[in-house]
Amino acid sequence: MEKYRRIGLKLTPQRLAVLQYLEGNTDHPSAEMIYNEVKKKYPMMSFATVYKTIEALKKNGHLLELTIDSERRRYDPETGQHHHLICIRCKRISDIHKSFSIDVPAETQESFDIIGNHIEFYGICPKCKQKGGN
Amino acid sequence: MEKYRRIGLKLTPQRLAVLQYLEGNTDHPSAEMIYNEVKKKYPMMSFATVYKTIEALKKNGHLLELTIDSERRRYDPETGQHHHLICIRCKRISDIHKSFSIDVPAETQESFDIIGNHIEFYGICPKCKQKGGN
DNA sequence: GTTACTGCAAAGCTTTTGCATCCCT
DNA sequence: AGGGATGCAAAAGCTTTGCAGTAAC
């Protein structure tokens, strides 16, 4: 509670529900996933509120928008530096907490100010491997 | 021409225009960018055709769909392994042709079949730096 | 009491699709 | 001639927005 208040947002039940759902969540949910989950607890919850809350959290730096899934936006409450592993079959996204030392070529660094990087690993997850298909 | 025919698609003027626009293109264009550009040459060009051609090229492995820009899908005719540098201000995307040796942690490799990876570098491009803003 | 948030419905974008027509091969 | 491609317009997502009512501070 206190922790949430510090973000500087009014603490409504809806927001609290979203915040609690996101806390420690590693599913990289879409807006719809958040909506569906939170609606179980607060049936009055609307999509607009989900999107507006997402927007507020993004602005405050408490939520990252992932550009990993071309179908829909996904969100990540883990705002520290980390990378992702995406299953090309089921689109599940897992975290990779390991740091890599990678740098752009020197010529590029001279013209660009490099701020950060993000690695996407692609593969097939255990569950999808089991299901077969090859 | 011959080269295009080899992709196994019927060669209509519209497709040829799209193919020629994409050839060697490093702008990582969106469907709209393709449409606007090709329309200059073929005013009868429709959006549906652009999307359908994109779809056909993707299926044939001649075009990559990038999941770099959350606003819209971007496409890349360079289908070889390479990475990208994105300007967080203007969203311009540049290629990084350099290979990095990065591997997921061993535990992950045991459960996942890793197929590939893609690195996104974030930064501010020379033009945006000049414009200031900080 | 203010100010910000909620929820609805409408609107905005991007992308997809059905279908009649057209034209590569 | 046949089958795929085109283009239009409609539809389908996903996301945003205006606004009146409501609740947090």
Side-chain angles (χ1 to χ4, degrees):
Chain A
M1 295 276 160
E2 196 35 61
K3 160 173 69 174
Y4 292 137
R5 198 154 286 139
R6 264 185 235 124
I7 348 186
L9 302 172
K10 273 193 185 173
L11 261 200
T12 63
Q14 293 90 332
R15 284 204 167 157
L16 200 52
V18 171
L19 288 166
Q20 284 172 347
Y21 168 65
L22 288 176
E23 175 147 10
N25 184 303
T26 57
D27 292 343
H28 310 84
S30 62
E32 192 184 8
M33 288 155 96
I34 297 173
Y35 172 72
N36 286 337
E37 209 51 44
V38 172
K39 203 182 172 81
K40 288 183 189 165
K41 251 179 152 174
Y42 292 87
M44 75 292 280
M45 169 63 84
S46 77
F47 248 114
T49 298
V50 170
Y51 277 111
K52 284 169 185 168
T53 300
I54 286 173
E55 190 54 33
L57 291 174
K58 275 201 305 182
K59 263 200 194 117
N60 284 274
H62 289 272
L63 192 63
L64 246 44
E65 187 173 283
L66 302 181
T67 56
I68 273 182
D69 184 342
S70 73
E71 313 276 315
R72 60 189 58 71
R73 299 183 191 168
R74 301 268 213 127
Y75 300 93
D76 195 341
E78 163 60 274
T79 56
Q81 160 85 345
H82 65 291
H83 305 287
H84 292 106
L85 172 50
I86 302 120
C87 174
I88 59 172
R89 294 265 175 80
C90 68
K91 302 291 168 64
R92 196 202 321 275
I93 301 172
S94 319
D95 290 328
I96 302 270
H97 284 285
K98 179 181 173 181
S99 56
F100 300 89
S101 54
I102 48 176
D103 282 300
V104 296
E107 319 84 77
T108 310
Q109 268 198 69
E110 279 159 31
S111 49
F112 262 82
D113 281 352
I114 307 292
I115 290 167
N117 64 63
H118 172 237
I119 309 176
E120 293 160 7
F121 292 92
Y122 297 99
I124 299 175
C125 77
K127 283 192 188 172
C128 289
K129 247 199 301 187
Q130 240 180 333
K131 279 183 208 154
N134 79 296
Chain B
M1 294 278 161
E2 196 34 60
K3 159 173 70 174
Y4 293 137
R5 195 154 287 139
R6 264 186 234 125
I7 350 186
L9 303 171
K10 272 195 185 170
L11 262 200
T12 63
Q14 293 89 330
R15 285 204 168 158
L16 199 52
V18 170
L19 288 166
Q20 284 172 346
Y21 167 65
L22 288 177
E23 174 147 10
N25 183 304
T26 58
D27 291 343
H28 309 85
S30 62
E32 192 184 7
M33 288 155 98
I34 297 173
Y35 173 71
N36 286 335
E37 208 51 43
V38 172
K39 203 182 171 83
K40 288 182 189 169
K41 251 177 151 175
Y42 290 87
M44 76 293 281
M45 169 63 81
S46 78
F47 248 114
T49 298
V50 170
Y51 278 110
K52 284 167 183 167
T53 300
I54 286 173
E55 191 53 33
L57 291 174
K58 276 202 305 181
K59 261 199 195 117
N60 283 274
H62 289 272
L63 192 62
L64 246 44
E65 187 173 281
L66 303 182
T67 56
I68 273 183
D69 184 342
S70 72
E71 313 277 316
R72 60 189 57 70
R73 298 183 192 170
R74 301 267 213 130
Y75 300 93
D76 196 341
E78 163 61 274
T79 56
Q81 159 86 345
H82 66 290
H83 305 287
H84 292 106
L85 173 50
I86 301 119
C87 175
I88 60 171
R89 293 264 175 81
C90 68
K91 305 289 168 65
R92 195 202 321 275
I93 301 172
S94 319
D95 291 328
I96 303 268
H97 283 285
K98 179 182 172 181
S99 57
F100 300 89
S101 55
I102 48 175
D103 281 301
V104 296
E107 319 85 76
T108 310
Q109 267 197 69
E110 278 159 32
S111 49
F112 262 82
D113 281 352
I114 307 291
I115 291 166
N117 64 63
H118 172 237
I119 309 175
E120 293 161 6
F121 291 93
Y122 296 98
I124 299 176
C125 76
K127 282 189 190 174
C128 288
K129 248 199 298 187
Q130 238 179 334
K131 278 184 209 153
N134 76 295

Short mmCIF file of all heavy atoms in Angstrom, two decimals, chain B residues 70-96:
data_model
loop_
_atom_site.label_atom_id
_atom_site.label_comp_id
_atom_site.label_asym_id
_atom_site.label_seq_id
_atom_site.Cartn_x
_atom_site.Cartn_y
_atom_site.Cartn_z
N SER B 70 6.23 -0.48 -31.54
CA SER B 70 4.94 -0.92 -31.01
C SER B 70 3.76 -0.24 -31.69
O SER B 70 2.62 -0.65 -31.53
CB SER B 70 4.87 -0.68 -29.50
OG SER B 70 4.74 0.69 -29.22
N GLU B 71 4.03 0.79 -32.47
CA GLU B 71 2.94 1.52 -33.13
C GLU B 71 2.43 0.79 -34.37
O GLU B 71 1.25 0.87 -34.70
CB GLU B 71 3.42 2.90 -33.58
CG GLU B 71 4.20 3.68 -32.53
CD GLU B 71 3.27 4.40 -31.60
OE1 GLU B 71 2.30 5.00 -32.07
OE2 GLU B 71 3.50 4.34 -30.37
N ARG B 72 3.35 0.16 -35.06
CA ARG B 72 2.96 -0.49 -36.31
C ARG B 72 4.02 -1.51 -36.68
O ARG B 72 5.13 -1.45 -36.20
CB ARG B 72 2.83 0.54 -37.42
CG ARG B 72 4.11 1.32 -37.69
CD ARG B 72 3.88 2.47 -38.63
NE ARG B 72 2.87 3.38 -38.15
CZ ARG B 72 3.01 4.20 -37.09
NH1 ARG B 72 4.13 4.19 -36.41
NH2 ARG B 72 2.05 5.02 -36.72
N ARG B 73 3.66 -2.45 -37.55
CA ARG B 73 4.63 -3.44 -37.96
C ARG B 73 5.59 -2.85 -38.97
O ARG B 73 5.19 -2.06 -39.82
CB ARG B 73 3.92 -4.65 -38.56
CG ARG B 73 3.03 -5.28 -37.51
CD ARG B 73 2.34 -6.52 -38.00
NE ARG B 73 1.31 -6.87 -37.02
CZ ARG B 73 0.38 -7.78 -37.20
NH1 ARG B 73 0.35 -8.44 -38.34
NH2 ARG B 73 -0.52 -8.03 -36.28
N ARG B 74 6.81 -3.26 -38.88
CA ARG B 74 7.82 -2.79 -39.81
C ARG B 74 8.39 -4.01 -40.50
O ARG B 74 8.39 -5.11 -39.95
CB ARG B 74 8.95 -2.09 -39.04
CG ARG B 74 8.49 -0.91 -38.21
CD ARG B 74 8.65 0.36 -39.02
NE ARG B 74 8.98 1.48 -38.18
CZ ARG B 74 9.99 2.31 -38.41
NH1 ARG B 74 10.78 2.13 -39.46
NH2 ARG B 74 10.20 3.32 -37.60
N TYR B 75 8.89 -3.82 -41.72
CA TYR B 75 9.39 -4.94 -42.50
C TYR B 75 10.82 -4.74 -42.93
O TYR B 75 11.27 -3.62 -43.11
CB TYR B 75 8.45 -5.17 -43.69
CG TYR B 75 7.05 -5.46 -43.22
CD1 TYR B 75 6.11 -4.44 -43.08
CD2 TYR B 75 6.70 -6.76 -42.82
CE1 TYR B 75 4.83 -4.70 -42.58
CE2 TYR B 75 5.44 -7.02 -42.33
CZ TYR B 75 4.50 -5.99 -42.21
OH TYR B 75 3.26 -6.25 -41.70
N ASP B 76 11.50 -5.86 -43.11
CA ASP B 76 12.91 -5.81 -43.45
C ASP B 76 13.21 -6.82 -44.54
O ASP B 76 13.06 -8.04 -44.35
CB ASP B 76 13.74 -6.14 -42.20
CG ASP B 76 15.19 -5.75 -42.36
OD1 ASP B 76 15.64 -5.57 -43.50
OD2 ASP B 76 15.88 -5.62 -41.33
N PRO B 77 13.65 -6.33 -45.71
CA PRO B 77 13.97 -7.23 -46.82
C PRO B 77 15.32 -7.93 -46.62
O PRO B 77 15.62 -8.87 -47.35
CB PRO B 77 14.01 -6.29 -48.02
CG PRO B 77 14.39 -4.97 -47.46
CD PRO B 77 13.80 -4.93 -46.08
N GLU B 78 16.08 -7.45 -45.66
CA GLU B 78 17.36 -8.10 -45.37
C GLU B 78 17.06 -9.25 -44.41
O GLU B 78 16.77 -9.04 -43.23
CB GLU B 78 18.31 -7.08 -44.72
CG GLU B 78 19.51 -7.70 -44.01
CD GLU B 78 20.41 -8.50 -44.92
OE1 GLU B 78 20.10 -9.71 -45.10
OE2 GLU B 78 21.38 -7.95 -45.45
N THR B 79 17.09 -10.47 -44.96
CA THR B 79 16.66 -11.60 -44.14
C THR B 79 17.82 -12.34 -43.48
O THR B 79 17.61 -13.31 -42.78
CB THR B 79 15.83 -12.59 -44.99
OG1 THR B 79 16.61 -12.99 -46.11
CG2 THR B 79 14.55 -11.95 -45.48
N GLY B 80 19.03 -11.85 -43.73
CA GLY B 80 20.18 -12.47 -43.06
C GLY B 80 20.25 -12.03 -41.61
O GLY B 80 19.58 -11.09 -41.20
N GLN B 81 21.08 -12.71 -40.84
CA GLN B 81 21.22 -12.39 -39.43
C GLN B 81 21.84 -11.01 -39.27
O GLN B 81 22.95 -10.74 -39.76
CB GLN B 81 22.10 -13.47 -38.76
CG GLN B 81 22.74 -13.05 -37.44
CD GLN B 81 21.80 -13.28 -36.25
OE1 GLN B 81 20.60 -13.49 -36.41
NE2 GLN B 81 22.35 -13.23 -35.05
N HIS B 82 21.17 -10.15 -38.58
CA HIS B 82 21.74 -8.84 -38.24
C HIS B 82 20.95 -8.25 -37.10
O HIS B 82 19.92 -8.78 -36.71
CB HIS B 82 21.77 -7.92 -39.46
CG HIS B 82 20.44 -7.52 -39.98
ND1 HIS B 82 19.59 -8.40 -40.62
CD2 HIS B 82 19.78 -6.33 -39.95
CE1 HIS B 82 18.49 -7.77 -40.97
NE2 HIS B 82 18.57 -6.52 -40.57
N HIS B 83 21.43 -7.15 -36.57
CA HIS B 83 20.78 -6.56 -35.41
C HIS B 83 20.36 -5.13 -35.73
O HIS B 83 20.63 -4.63 -36.82
CB HIS B 83 21.72 -6.64 -34.21
CG HIS B 83 22.19 -8.04 -33.96
ND1 HIS B 83 21.37 -9.02 -33.42
CD2 HIS B 83 23.37 -8.66 -34.23
CE1 HIS B 83 22.04 -10.16 -33.35
NE2 HIS B 83 23.25 -9.97 -33.85
N HIS B 84 19.69 -4.51 -34.77
CA HIS B 84 19.17 -3.17 -35.06
C HIS B 84 19.47 -2.15 -34.00
O HIS B 84 19.60 -2.47 -32.81
CB HIS B 84 17.65 -3.26 -35.29
CG HIS B 84 17.29 -3.98 -36.54
ND1 HIS B 84 16.76 -5.26 -36.55
CD2 HIS B 84 17.40 -3.60 -37.84
CE1 HIS B 84 16.57 -5.63 -37.80
NE2 HIS B 84 16.95 -4.66 -38.61
N LEU B 85 19.55 -0.94 -34.46
CA LEU B 85 19.81 0.20 -33.59
C LEU B 85 18.63 1.15 -33.79
O LEU B 85 18.36 1.58 -34.90
CB LEU B 85 21.13 0.86 -34.02
CG LEU B 85 21.55 2.16 -33.39
CD1 LEU B 85 21.47 2.10 -31.87
CD2 LEU B 85 22.99 2.48 -33.82
N ILE B 86 17.92 1.41 -32.73
CA ILE B 86 16.70 2.21 -32.84
C ILE B 86 16.85 3.55 -32.15
O ILE B 86 17.26 3.62 -31.00
CB ILE B 86 15.52 1.45 -32.18
CG1 ILE B 86 15.33 0.10 -32.85
CG2 ILE B 86 14.24 2.28 -32.25
CD1 ILE B 86 15.52 -1.06 -31.91
N CYS B 87 16.50 4.60 -32.86
CA CYS B 87 16.53 5.93 -32.25
C CYS B 87 15.23 6.09 -31.46
O CYS B 87 14.14 6.00 -32.02
CB CYS B 87 16.64 7.03 -33.29
SG CYS B 87 16.52 8.68 -32.54
N ILE B 88 15.36 6.32 -30.17
CA ILE B 88 14.16 6.41 -29.33
C ILE B 88 13.38 7.69 -29.58
O ILE B 88 12.24 7.80 -29.18
CB ILE B 88 14.50 6.30 -27.83
CG1 ILE B 88 15.45 7.43 -27.42
CG2 ILE B 88 15.09 4.96 -27.50
CD1 ILE B 88 15.65 7.51 -25.91
N ARG B 89 13.99 8.63 -30.26
CA ARG B 89 13.28 9.88 -30.56
C ARG B 89 12.48 9.76 -31.84
O ARG B 89 11.27 9.89 -31.84
CB ARG B 89 14.29 11.03 -30.74
CG ARG B 89 15.03 11.40 -29.48
CD ARG B 89 14.39 12.57 -28.75
NE ARG B 89 15.06 12.82 -27.48
CZ ARG B 89 16.21 13.49 -27.38
NH1 ARG B 89 16.80 14.00 -28.45
NH2 ARG B 89 16.77 13.67 -26.20
N CYS B 90 13.17 9.47 -32.94
CA CYS B 90 12.48 9.48 -34.23
C CYS B 90 12.09 8.10 -34.72
O CYS B 90 11.47 7.96 -35.77
CB CYS B 90 13.34 10.18 -35.28
SG CYS B 90 14.84 9.28 -35.73
N LYS B 91 12.48 7.07 -33.96
CA LYS B 91 12.12 5.70 -34.31
C LYS B 91 12.82 5.17 -35.56
O LYS B 91 12.45 4.13 -36.09
CB LYS B 91 10.59 5.53 -34.47
CG LYS B 91 9.79 5.97 -33.28
CD LYS B 91 9.95 5.02 -32.11
CE LYS B 91 9.39 5.60 -30.80
NZ LYS B 91 7.94 5.80 -30.84
N ARG B 92 13.79 5.91 -36.03
CA ARG B 92 14.52 5.41 -37.18
C ARG B 92 15.26 4.14 -36.76
O ARG B 92 15.75 4.02 -35.64
CB ARG B 92 15.53 6.46 -37.66
CG ARG B 92 16.08 6.19 -39.06
CD ARG B 92 17.40 6.90 -39.28
NE ARG B 92 17.43 8.23 -38.69
CZ ARG B 92 16.98 9.33 -39.30
NH1 ARG B 92 16.49 9.26 -40.50
NH2 ARG B 92 17.05 10.50 -38.69
N ILE B 93 15.33 3.19 -37.66
CA ILE B 93 15.98 1.92 -37.36
C ILE B 93 17.16 1.72 -38.29
O ILE B 93 17.01 1.82 -39.51
CB ILE B 93 14.99 0.74 -37.56
CG1 ILE B 93 13.77 0.91 -36.64
CG2 ILE B 93 15.67 -0.60 -37.30
CD1 ILE B 93 12.65 -0.09 -36.90
N SER B 94 18.35 1.47 -37.73
CA SER B 94 19.53 1.21 -38.56
C SER B 94 20.00 -0.21 -38.34
O SER B 94 19.74 -0.81 -37.30
CB SER B 94 20.67 2.15 -38.17
OG SER B 94 20.21 3.45 -37.92
N ASP B 95 20.69 -0.71 -39.33
CA ASP B 95 21.20 -2.08 -39.23
C ASP B 95 22.55 -2.11 -38.54
O ASP B 95 23.35 -1.20 -38.67
CB ASP B 95 21.37 -2.67 -40.63
CG ASP B 95 20.03 -2.91 -41.30
OD1 ASP B 95 19.07 -3.21 -40.58
OD2 ASP B 95 19.95 -2.78 -42.54
N ILE B 96 22.78 -3.20 -37.82
CA ILE B 96 24.10 -3.46 -37.24
C ILE B 96 24.52 -4.81 -37.77
O ILE B 96 23.97 -5.84 -37.39
CB ILE B 96 24.04 -3.54 -35.69
CG1 ILE B 96 23.47 -2.27 -35.09
CG2 ILE B 96 25.41 -3.89 -35.13
CD1 ILE B 96 24.47 -1.22 -34.72
#
